[in-house]
Amino acid sequence: MTRHRRYPRLMALLVTVTVLSVPCSLTAFQYPSLTISSGTTTGSYYAAASAIAKVFNPSSGRNGVRLATVASPGSVANIDQVADGKATFGIAETELLRRATQGVRPWEGKARSGLSAVLGLYVESVTVVAAVDSGIKRVSDLKGKRLNIGAPGSIDNSYAGAFLQMSGLNPGEVVTSEHSTAIAPELLQKGDIDAYLCIVGHPNLTVLEASAGKRKVTLISLDGALIQQVVSHNPLLMAVAIPTNFYPNVEVSGKVPTIGLRAVLFTSADQPEANVYAVVREVISNFDLFRRQHPILQDLSPRDAARVAVIPLHPGALRYFKEAGLVP
């Protein structure tokens, strides 16, 4: 498949994460690194983590620490890394943070306590990318088809079973594979799968890649009744729409209705208050610069960043948000 050739302007925008992960100056390396466990290097978690580091690291001299983005399989791995003390910060969706603290799938019998929110981030959308020639026009058409659901440890993989069941499909009725979403566009173009499920912010590099090949692709809308049923039973989920203007070769126009949930930067409750306060202060006080780092951040507001109800705000984050008048 010929990649990245048709949309040079959008590609330049999306691959800024490569630039963002480069320190602003070598002096930043004089200070200890606090790691952010993120996601695959082509995903929106890695982009968001790199944006946070980009904004924070120029202040390393004042704060005595720097941030370093670390790739990971995704949300489940990020929660475990922070809970086990192997990473300072992580990014995960609100739904998985709820499951982790309650000790439900995939944390049955081993609840992850002691997690604290730092910043609310962008909203991620449940996204089904399908080959046009597969005949998939709605979620129910996935019956008997080959669907990639992402690697174990990702939100895609963790949510796939529930998503299929909510859509009236039993997991056994769909032929699923568990490859990383980063290679799903290639698998789709090669004909190895008919569709893939991912939960991502938009614009997203994997969707752009999938639409750049000879095999035509589309985005599948979720039924309005299903969306209403799901969001009415789970306050962490919301009705959203995927904009298609970033994907000129996707064979769908307008906005694609689906379900969304917010991504959250989090840490452990015993992380020193000064470190968390410093991260929140640098991001919020440079918020316009932060939002310019990647298109997925453009709709985020400081109040969105301060409103994370699924787990308690870390005392360092709460202190800054109160000083900034963003929480009572």
Side-chain angles (χ1 to χ4, degrees):
M1 176 176 65
T2 301
R3 295 169 127 187
H4 312 332
R5 294 182 179 176
R6 299 188 180 183
Y7 320 114
R9 292 180 63 189
L10 180 54
M11 284 305 306
L13 193 58
L14 291 178
V15 299
T16 50
V17 299
T18 304
V19 177
L20 295 176
S21 60
V22 177
C24 294
S25 69
L26 293 177
T27 58
F29 286 110
Q30 298 174 3
Y31 306 103
S33 291
L34 306 180
T35 55
I36 307 175
S37 188
S38 57
T40 62
T41 56
T42 60
S44 48
Y45 279 8
Y46 194 88
S50 298
I52 294 167
K54 172 72 173 180
V55 171
F56 179 84
N57 283 342
S59 67
S60 293
R62 176 172 59 172
N63 296 310
V65 293
R66 64 183 299 272
L67 297 179
T69 301
V70 178
S72 83
S75 291
V76 174
N78 296 343
I79 290 171
D80 289 340
Q81 287 285 309
V82 172
D84 293 337
K86 297 177 181 178
T88 311
F89 299 98
I91 299 177
E93 295 84 356
T94 51
E95 174 63 16
L96 278 187
L97 286 167
R98 180 190 67 80
R99 293 187 193 181
T101 57
Q102 293 180 350
V104 297
R105 185 179 182 273
W107 291 277
E108 295 95 334
K110 51 177 182 179
R112 292 304 203 172
S113 59
L115 299 178
S116 296
V118 178
L119 290 166
L121 299 173
Y122 56 91
V123 173
E124 297 196 284
S125 303
V126 176
T127 306
V128 179
V129 184
V132 172
D133 61 23
S134 70
I136 300 170
K137 297 181 179 179
R138 56 189 64 84
V139 176
S140 59
D141 294 334
L142 289 170
K143 185 176 181 179
K145 303 296 184 180
R146 299 165 298 168
L147 175 72
N148 189 69
I149 59 173
S154 66
I155 178 62
D156 313 342
N157 190 287
S158 302
Y159 190 68
F163 172 75
L164 292 174
Q165 289 181 337
M166 287 187 302
S167 304
L169 294 166
N170 293 320
E173 294 181 312
V174 181
V175 181
T176 58
S177 58
E178 297 183 314
H179 301 288
S180 169
T181 299
I183 66 169
E186 182 179 353
L187 297 175
L188 192 70
Q189 285 297 326
K190 288 169 59 179
D192 293 340
I193 58 175
D194 301 306
Y196 65 92
L197 168 72
C198 56
I199 302 179
V200 294
H202 291 277
N204 185 266
L205 187 58
T206 63
V207 180
L208 186 69
E209 287 184 351
S211 67
K214 292 182 179 180
R215 195 181 190 196
K216 299 300 182 182
V217 303
T218 188
L219 299 179
I220 306 302
S221 297
L222 270 59
D223 180 75
L226 171 64
I227 294 173
Q228 184 58 38
Q229 176 186 356
V230 171
V231 301
S232 65
H233 285 84
N234 189 337
L236 298 178
L237 304 179
M238 61 193 83
V240 297
I242 302 170
T244 58
N245 55 300
F246 288 108
Y247 311 120
N249 265 21
V250 170
E251 293 204 355
V252 65
S253 59
K255 294 184 177 181
V256 177
T258 186
I259 300 164
L261 61 168
R262 192 169 296 281
V264 176
L265 179 72
F266 66 96
T267 189
S268 60
D270 58 6
Q271 181 62 214
E273 183 176 326
N275 289 342
V276 178
Y277 178 89
V279 170
V280 176
R281 179 187 62 205
E282 298 303 331
V283 171
I284 300 300
S285 62
N286 295 284
F287 207 71
D288 287 341
L289 173 64
F290 175 60
R291 288 192 297 195
R292 290 199 301 270
Q293 301 308 305
H294 198 282
I296 56 171
L297 301 170
Q298 289 179 357
D299 293 332
L300 184 66
S301 72
R303 292 199 179 275
D304 291 333
R307 292 173 178 170
V308 183
V310 64
I311 55 176
L313 279 170
H314 189 281
L318 181 60
R319 177 159 67 95
Y320 183 82
F321 286 138
K322 283 185 174 180
E323 290 176 1
L326 294 171
V327 297

